[in-house]
Amino acid sequence: MDALKTIAQDCAKKELPSFSIGDTVRVDVNIREGDHERIQAFEGTVIARKGSGIAETFTVRRVSYGVGVERVFPIHSPNVKNVKVIRRGNVRRAKLYYLRNRVGKAAKVKEQIQ
């Protein structure tokens, strides 16, 4: 079990991005197409964070061409190159699943005033 923990610590990213639920983030993801790779940006609102340690994931939601798109990213994945916070959200919930049922301005998250 100790060997498994040390392997997990080696795979873990040293510098974790600082973001929370309700924030709008841009996630740079490494995409492999055949024998070449490219980086694709996915920008949206963080609606959930789950797990802990090496298995921690976060869910990002955006509306693209009128269709809601959600992607789940492992925080420690080598395919997640960068997470940049675009704007901070002011929310009072740990999970924002209720945004799935809302459209238009009702699906917006208020910005945190600093």
Side-chain angles (χ1 to χ4, degrees):
M1 196 65 177
D2 291 333
L4 187 62
K5 286 182 182 178
T6 57
I7 291 171
Q9 288 174 352
D10 292 341
C11 294
K13 290 184 179 174
K14 305 297 183 233
E15 190 175 306
L16 287 177
S18 169
F19 64 93
S20 61
I21 309 301
D23 293 352
T24 300
V25 295
R26 179 180 296 123
V27 184
D28 293 332
V29 187
N30 194 24
I31 304 291
R32 289 191 188 101
E33 294 173 330
D35 58 343
H36 63 280
E37 297 179 354
R38 64 184 175 89
I39 293 180
Q40 184 180 54
F42 188 86
E43 186 173 331
T45 305
V46 178
I47 63 168
R49 281 183 81 155
K50 283 187 178 179
S52 64
I54 196 75
E56 187 174 359
T57 62
F58 64 101
T59 305
V60 180
R61 177 182 174 82
R62 76 169 177 199
V63 178
S64 180
Y65 299 104
V67 179
V69 179
E70 291 183 9
R71 287 189 69 179
V72 179
F73 298 102
I75 287 181
H76 297 285
S77 172
N79 290 330
V80 175
K81 297 297 181 191
N82 189 20
V83 178
K84 184 179 181 200
V85 177
I86 305 300
R87 63 189 279 264
R88 297 273 178 191
N90 186 18
V91 295
R92 297 171 64 178
R93 300 282 180 274
K95 305 284 190 278
L96 302 181
Y97 296 143
Y98 65 88
L99 293 179
R100 294 172 177 166
N101 301 325
R102 303 207 176 167
V103 292
K105 287 187 177 180
K108 283 192 160 198
V109 175
K110 291 181 183 176
E111 189 167 3
Q112 192 176 49
I113 299 170
Q114 294 186 4

